[in-house]
Amino acid sequence: PMGEEEGEESDEEEEESGEEESGDEDDEEDDSEEEEEEEEEEDAKSSKAKGGSKMELDAEDGDDDDDAMEADNVGFDWDDFGAGKAGDADSEEESVDEEEEEEGAEERSKARRRKKKEQAAKEAELRRREDELVRSDKAPESAEEFERLVLASPRSSFVWIKYMALHLEMTEIDKAREVAERALKTIGSREEKEKFNVWVARLNLENMYGSRDQLMEVFQEACKVNDAKQMHLQLLTVLEKGADAQATEAFFKTATKKYRTSCKFWLRYLAFKLKGAHPEAAARLMDRATEALAKRKHLKLLTKFALLEYKSGSAPRAASIF
């Protein structure tokens, strides 16, 4: 019996050790299964993350494609963009150039207006001083007083001519000529009208106190620096005031030969003939004028000549012309 009990105990110990070994094996299998499950879960998570990122990338790619399609629909092109930039730069440069040109034109226009205002102011000042001289109770009576006056108004032909008249009243012809020369040198070249007035005064001086040669010499000098046609008309006026009808007739012939196409000279000549009570000579001169002048000037010539006939007391002849 003892042996049977020891055998049964050994069998029980073997069974317990076997059960313990099988339990350890089961635990190891459970641990491995848990590890595999954890690895599968991690793989699933990683695959899910990859899938999500891939979806995001796909979505971004889709957005880029949409943007590209929109850009294509708009017609966007880098080359066009570059050309547009260059065109904008060119247009900006052109606009700048136009603005500069407009500013330059405006400045020039302002300068011209300012110059005109200054010139008008100078002329107004000259007229004011001349008016003061005319209205003054006591006009200059000596050369010293006139010297102070011409210093105050050096560009006024009125003052210089009055100064010449002072010397002529004192029969100082040469001094009057000297004053005229000083006036022509003092008055600026831009003051054409003022200088012209002095030249006319000089012609009158030579016509009254000088010789015929001196008059024509001054006349030739005046024609060089003034309008020759205007100087011819002025000399005709000077000669008509004188008593030398022959000299006036001779100069009329010269003037109408030089300016044969000018209606003004023929009318002046016709008036001179009518004043001299030579109606027949005026009629012959009228025929010459009609031949010399252009047809477009005939109506003016006939009308003016008829008025001259009427003023001279020949109403019937004036009516016949009309």
Side-chain angles (χ1 to χ4, degrees), residues 56-73:
E56 291 177 357
L57 290 172
D58 292 339
E60 291 177 357
D61 293 338
D63 294 338
D64 293 339
D65 294 337
D66 294 338
D67 294 338
M69 291 176 66
E70 291 178 359
D72 292 336
N73 292 332

Side-chain angles (χ1 to χ4, degrees), residues 120-135:
K122 291 179 181 179
E123 292 179 357
E125 180 64 18
L126 288 175
R127 298 288 85 80
R128 185 186 66 78
R129 292 178 179 178
E130 291 172 2
D131 292 340
E132 288 179 355
L133 178 61
V134 172
R135 291 195 301 268

Side-chain angles (χ1 to χ4, degrees), residues 232-249:
H232 276 76
L233 291 171
Q234 288 297 326
L235 182 57
L236 285 173
T237 302
V238 170
L239 292 173
E240 284 179 306
K241 291 179 181 178
D244 194 343
Q246 291 182 352
T248 306
E249 176 82 22

Side-chain angles (χ1 to χ4, degrees), residues 164 175-185 198 202:
M164 291 171 62
K175 288 186 178 180
R177 291 190 178 103
E178 291 176 2
V179 170
E181 292 295 333
R182 283 180 56 195
L184 294 172
K185 292 178 181 179
V198 176
R202 182 73 188 277

Side-chain angles (χ1 to χ4, degrees), residues 53-295:
S53 62
K54 184 176 181 180
M55 290 175 65
E56 291 177 357
L57 290 172
D58 292 339
E60 291 177 357
D61 293 338
D63 294 338
D64 293 339
D65 294 337
D66 294 338
D67 294 338
M69 291 176 66
E70 291 178 359
D72 292 336
N73 292 332
V74 174
F76 179 86
D77 192 2
W78 283 110
D79 294 336
D80 295 339
F81 185 75
K85 289 172 66 177
D88 293 340
D90 293 339
S91 62
E92 289 178 0
E93 291 179 358
E94 290 177 359
S95 63
V96 170
D97 293 338
E98 291 177 356
E99 290 177 359
E100 291 178 353
E101 290 179 0
E102 291 177 357
E103 290 177 358
E106 186 176 356
E107 290 178 358
R108 289 192 294 272
S109 178
K110 289 181 179 179
R112 286 194 294 269
R113 289 195 297 268
R114 184 168 57 253
K115 186 176 180 181
K116 288 182 180 179
K117 288 182 179 179
E118 292 176 356
Q119 184 67 20
K122 291 179 181 179
E123 292 179 357
E125 180 64 18
L126 288 175
R127 298 288 85 80
R128 185 186 66 78
R129 292 178 179 178
E130 291 172 2
D131 292 340
E132 288 179 355
L133 178 61
V134 172
R135 291 195 301 268
S136 61
D137 295 335
K138 183 180 180 182
E141 297 178 351
S142 64
E144 290 76 11
E145 292 178 355
F146 268 108
E147 285 293 336
R148 289 194 295 270
L149 192 59
V150 295
L151 287 174
S153 303
R155 295 185 299 273
S156 173
S157 60
F158 178 83
V159 174
W160 286 105
I161 292 170
K162 284 289 185 180
Y163 195 1
M164 291 171 62
L166 175 69
H167 288 297
L168 292 176
E169 289 175 0
M170 300 172 64
T171 64
E172 297 175 344
I173 311 303
D174 291 336
K175 288 186 178 180
R177 291 190 178 103
E178 291 176 2
V179 170
E181 292 295 333
R182 283 180 56 195
L184 294 172
K185 292 178 181 179
T186 303
I187 298 174
S189 58
R190 294 183 179 180
E191 306 289 340
E192 295 180 358
K193 185 176 180 181
E194 301 298 321
K195 294 176 76 72
F196 185 84
N197 292 338
V198 176
W199 279 110
V200 174
R202 182 73 188 277
L203 290 175
N204 280 294
L205 185 153
E206 298 300 341
N207 184 56
M208 294 174 62
Y209 301 100
S211 63
R212 186 64 53 189
D213 292 338
Q214 288 174 321
L215 174 63
M216 295 310 297
E217 183 179 353
V218 172
F219 170 72
Q220 295 297 333
E221 291 179 6
C223 287
K224 293 178 182 178
V225 295
N226 295 279
D227 186 279
K229 183 177 180 180
Q230 293 299 321
M231 290 309 304
H232 276 76
L233 291 171
Q234 288 297 326
L235 182 57
L236 285 173
T237 302
V238 170
L239 292 173
E240 284 179 306
K241 291 179 181 178
D244 194 343
Q246 291 182 352
T248 306
E249 176 82 22
F251 192 73
F252 264 118
K253 291 180 179 179
T254 301
T256 51
K257 185 177 180 180
K258 183 177 181 63
Y259 300 100
R260 65 188 309 271
T261 59
S262 174
C263 186
K264 187 176 293 185
F265 280 94
W266 288 107
L267 288 171
R268 290 283 297 272
Y269 199 179
L270 289 167
F272 173 74
K273 287 292 187 180
L274 291 174
K275 287 179 182 179
H278 301 294
E280 295 81 5
R284 292 193 298 270
L285 184 62
M286 181 66 180
D287 295 335
R288 288 175 54 196
T290 304
E291 293 176 359
L293 295 174
K295 290 183 179 181

